[in-house]
Amino acid sequence: MSSAEPTEAEPTEAGATEQTGPAVRESGRGPRPAAPVPSPLPGLAESARRLADATTTSTALVTDALARIEATQPTLNAFRHLRAEAALAEAAEADRRLAAGERLPLLGVPVAVKDDTDVAGLPTHFGCDGERPPAGSDSEAVRRLRAAGAVVVGKTNSCELGQWPFTEGTAFGATRNPWNTAHTPGGSSGGSAAAVAAGLVPAALGSDGAGSVRIPAAWTHLVGIKPQRGRISVHPHSDSFQGLTVNGPLARTVADAALLLDAVAGAHPEDFHRPPAVRAADAARRDPGRLRIALAWRPPLTLTGAGPDPEVRRAVTALADTLARLGHHVEEARPRYGLIGLAFVPRATAGIAEFAARHPEPALLDPRTRSALRTGTRLGGRVVRAARAREVRQHRRIGALFDTSGFDVLLTPTTAAPPPRIGRFDDLSAWRTDVAMAAACPYAWPWNVLGWPGVNVPAAFTRSGLPVGAQLLGPSRSEERLIALAAQLEDDRRWFEHRPPV
């Protein structure tokens, strides 16, 4: 499937409000002087190809990535930490290895990871304020990135403990959407999404505990893959957020997302979940065949009465029409979600409580985090165990859409609304934040309860130029089918040709 580079930009709303974010930090160094913005970096597969063909060098790519990150930091504020000197040294070593004939899938390619992921020598703040000691070793996902040859240039911003679909906080300011800096790129992997959408890096890792890869992918016009639970290790955590959270790639094309997924997939010896291997990059080149696709508009019960914004509905309807034109059978259907929220809330809040309890200065946490900590503490233990025990029944009930009704894929909006404005959630209580969040993003989180894979694909732009997305959801271990279908859509709709304004 195509992974061509873009040739034109999508017109967007120009009247964005900008706000200067804090200087990106590198251990032991102050901020660097502002620099002109270089051109966006090529995609992941294209960068790897140019390196293998010796038409560029890792040093050049990493230098451009670092310059672009620092030049855009005052407006986008995508990064929490850079490792500039270490990354340039690793790039020089990658160039020596390439010149000697060594080949690895990502040898010399710059990438970024979210700041919930341990990178040796950098603190893991996970969106929180306060000081943290540097991580003593890489997480398993970063270890695998390095084994594939990638150069990690830095860590991207996340909201506090990954709780919200926006990337804002007192610790680092607001991360902004490259399509319109008055709006959020989403969350909690908003820094990774903003970095990829703006061409600061070819691709990045995020994490998804309730849509935190898929939501920012939808709101920044990216492909975001939430893989099967256990596909990418979350070690040093054995079962992150009570099994809700997985790591996943964000990229501008399906081929790039699949390449990153292949590079980091695999278990640590201590991991609980070990699904059999997939070949994502091969799937991105494969015809998906004729599929039966269920289109669902009604989200699970959230007590908000939320439904899709008319512009979101228009975009997802057009995507469904494309799927039908490509030969698939598309039919409206209704998954039997039941009261799945009763399983989600204890697991999510208990996960927040587990992370928050490790913070050395709890008074620095957002009041909403402290509220979630109290809730998670009350709902821990027996309630969480009961919630997790329901998962088998939830698999059967919701899985009937695939097993009994015979559908291959479920298509839904990724979010009910376009990206909100920066500050939309400021000064809200914990309860009002949860209600507003559930109204804007009611579609993604059930698949975290199930542990099954999903892929966000770009759907369209609103009339004001804001991106919205759709998610392709499948049963257990169906990544290859979803990736093949997403790649077929990409060949037809060619969303990678549209980039935010430089």
Side-chain angles (χ1 to χ4, degrees):
M1 295 294 174
S2 174
S3 60
E5 289 300 302
T7 57
E8 54 187 82
E10 178 73 14
T12 63
E13 183 180 356
T17 301
E18 294 185 354
Q19 174 179 318
T20 300
V24 67
R25 291 181 288 177
E26 181 186 358
S27 182
R29 299 191 54 157
R32 291 166 177 253
V37 183
S39 298
L41 267 71
L44 199 70
E46 178 64 14
S47 295
R49 184 191 66 78
R50 293 182 190 182
L51 288 165
D53 292 347
T55 56
T56 191
T57 65
S58 180
T59 298
L61 289 176
V62 170
T63 298
D64 282 353
L66 293 170
R68 190 164 174 81
I69 290 165
E70 295 208 32
T72 59
Q73 188 68 8
T75 48
L76 296 184
N77 189 26
F79 279 77
R80 185 76 182 261
H81 287 283
L82 285 183
R83 51 190 308 273
E85 290 183 355
L88 287 169
E90 290 166 15
E93 175 61 20
D95 287 332
R96 287 190 287 272
R97 294 164 68 184
L98 286 160
E102 186 176 352
R103 294 295 179 266
L104 292 169
L106 299 179
L107 184 54
V109 180
V111 298
V113 301
K114 182 178 176 179
D115 192 31
D116 62 346
T117 304
D118 286 351
V119 175
L122 294 180
T124 302
H125 284 100
F126 202 176
C128 296
D129 206 348
E131 296 301 317
R132 289 291 183 94
S137 59
D138 291 332
S139 67
E140 178 66 12
V142 170
R143 187 194 70 77
R144 288 176 179 270
L145 270 179
R146 294 190 197 275
V151 177
V152 178
V153 296
K155 301 182 74 173
T156 56
N157 276 324
S158 163
C159 65
E160 194 168 283
L161 303 185
Q163 300 167 81
W164 306 305
F166 53 89
T167 302
E168 302 165 41
T170 57
F172 59 86
T175 296
R176 294 174 176 269
N177 196 319
W179 294 94
N180 183 326
T181 55
H183 291 258
T184 181
S188 61
S189 305
S192 288
V196 176
L200 314 187
V201 287
L205 270 185
S207 61
D208 191 314
S212 287
V213 162
R214 290 162 289 156
I215 291 166
W219 284 347
T220 58
H221 197 65
L222 297 178
V223 176
I225 300 177
K226 175 214 171 298
Q228 177 77 22
R229 185 184 298 151
R231 177 75 60 214
I232 301 173
S233 176
V234 294
H235 192 269
H237 310 292
S238 58
D239 198 37
S240 189
F241 281 80
Q242 295 293 324
L244 296 177
T245 296
V246 299
N247 293 322
L250 290 133
R252 293 185 51 257
T253 69
V254 176
D256 284 355
L259 178 58
L260 187 56
L261 177 58
D262 280 343
V264 297
H268 184 274
E270 297 176 9
D271 285 346
F272 292 163
H273 310 288
R274 296 169 172 273
V278 296
R279 301 180 66 169
D282 288 349
R285 296 186 288 268
R286 191 161 62 230
D287 190 298
R290 186 173 185 270
L291 302 175
R292 293 192 73 232
I293 299 172
L295 171 60
W297 295 111
R298 177 173 289 187
L301 180 67
T302 59
L303 303 179
T304 65
D309 178 275
E311 292 204 87
V312 171
R313 190 175 183 104
R314 172 181 58 82
V316 178
T317 298
L319 195 76
D321 291 343
T322 299
L323 288 165
R325 177 171 52 77
L326 291 171
H328 304 289
H329 173 80
V330 182
E331 177 184 339
E332 289 196 22
R334 225 189 242 183
R336 294 176 55 224
Y337 290 115
L339 298 178
I340 193 170
L342 296 179
F344 174 77
V345 172
R347 294 170 68 172
T349 56
I352 292 167
E354 289 163 6
F355 276 86
R358 294 195 288 266
H359 196 285
E361 300 177 85
L364 295 177
L365 294 171
D366 189 292
R368 294 170 290 189
T369 301
R370 297 200 297 271
S371 175
L373 188 160
R374 291 189 293 271
T375 301
T377 301
R378 287 195 302 270
L379 298 181
R382 185 169 58 184
V383 177
V384 166
R385 289 193 294 273
R388 298 204 67 168
R390 293 190 188 100
E391 191 176 304
V392 173
R393 295 194 295 276
Q394 290 158 347
H395 284 165
R396 287 197 298 266
R397 185 179 63 248
I398 299 172
L401 182 79
F402 307 107
D403 301 332
T404 304
S405 299
F407 289 105
D408 300 298
V409 173
L410 172 63
L411 170 68
T412 80
T414 302
T415 67
R421 295 182 72 87
I422 295 288
R424 161 70 178 83
F425 300 89
D426 285 357
D427 302 320
L428 296 182
S429 67
W431 170 252
R432 289 178 62 82
T433 298
D434 288 345
V435 170
M437 180 169 63
C441 303
Y443 291 102
W445 56 269
W447 248 244
N448 296 88
V449 176
L450 301 172
W452 294 348
V455 178
N456 175 80
V457 294
F461 294 88
T462 66
R463 291 178 178 85
S464 60
L466 294 169
V468 294
Q471 54 179 353
L472 307 173
L473 303 170
S476 180
R477 305 173 183 178
S478 59
E479 288 102 323
E480 291 189 359
R481 179 190 304 158
L482 301 177
I483 288 168
L485 181 60
Q488 185 187 51
L489 269 171
E490 181 179 273
D491 271 356
D492 185 87
R493 294 171 70 92
R494 301 185 68 80
W495 51 65
F496 52 82
E497 293 181 349
H498 306 298
R499 300 198 79 143
V502 177

